[in-house]
């Protein structure tokens, strides 16, 4: 049974920072792509950042320069450091782990956490 458990969400003022963490357990290959997605109110889910086993990263345009994704392959964790948060970053953030050959909508070898709420408001 694969489990992804996120932590670190909450309420933060504009310009503030938050760090999200995700612990992955179960039969997940260390070579899986890991990353973060989000779904804002009334919006579709979108990719925020992904990172390969070797450390190659990919960011959404909205996240570049403000967010940093990292992973600890030994601990099977992935984190997202978010700086300069804006109200538009308000969303439920989901951790994802999937095989490199799997798409984000695939039902095999593609796993999601339960989500953690991030609210940016004064």
């Amino acid at each position: 049974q694969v489990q992804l458990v996120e932590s670190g969400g909450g309420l933060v003022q504009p310009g503030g920072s938050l760090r999200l963490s995700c612990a992955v357990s179960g039969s997940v290959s260390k070579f899986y792509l890991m990353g973060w997605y989000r779904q804002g109110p009334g919006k579709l889910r979108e990719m925020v950042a992904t990172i390969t086993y070797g450390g190659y990263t990919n960011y959404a345009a909205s996240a570049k320069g403000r967010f940093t994704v990292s992973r600890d392959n030994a601990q099977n964790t992935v984190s997202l450091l978010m700086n300069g948060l804006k109200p538009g970053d308000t969303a439920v953030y989901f951790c994802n782990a999937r095989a490199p050959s799997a798409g984000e909508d695939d039902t095999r070898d593609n796993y999601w956490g339960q989500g953690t709420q991030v609210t940016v408001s004064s």
Side-chain angles (χ1 to χ4, degrees), residues 55-67:
Y56 179 81
T57 57
N58 185 37
Y59 292 93
S62 60
K64 281 181 181 178
R66 298 189 300 131
F67 295 1

Side-chain angles (χ1 to χ4, degrees), residues 10-16 18 85-91 118-122:
L11 174 64
V12 64
Q13 291 187 342
L18 277 178
L85 283 162
K86 306 173 183 179
D89 295 317
T90 295
V118 171
T119 302
V120 184
S121 175
S122 55

Side-chain angles (χ1 to χ4, degrees), residues 25-81:
S25 61
S27 299
V28 173
S29 168
K30 64 180 181 180
F31 297 110
Y32 270 28
L33 179 72
M34 300 177 77
W36 293 91
Y37 290 71
R38 70 185 183 187
Q39 186 165 15
K43 297 181 181 179
L44 297 175
R45 187 186 67 205
E46 61 177 355
M47 186 273 290
V48 177
T50 60
I51 183 167
T52 67
Y53 174 79
Y56 179 81
T57 57
N58 185 37
Y59 292 93
S62 60
K64 281 181 181 178
R66 298 189 300 131
F67 295 1
T68 302
V69 62
S70 59
R71 66 188 283 173
D72 183 329
N73 292 325
Q75 298 294 324
N76 235 10
T77 59
V78 60
S79 298
L80 183 70
L81 176 61

Side-chain angles (χ1 to χ4, degrees), residues 81-105:
L81 176 61
M82 303 184 291
N83 295 320
L85 283 162
K86 306 173 183 179
D89 295 317
T90 295
V92 178
Y93 284 70
F94 298 91
C95 176
N96 174 257
R98 64 178 188 268
S101 58
E104 61 184 74
D105 293 322

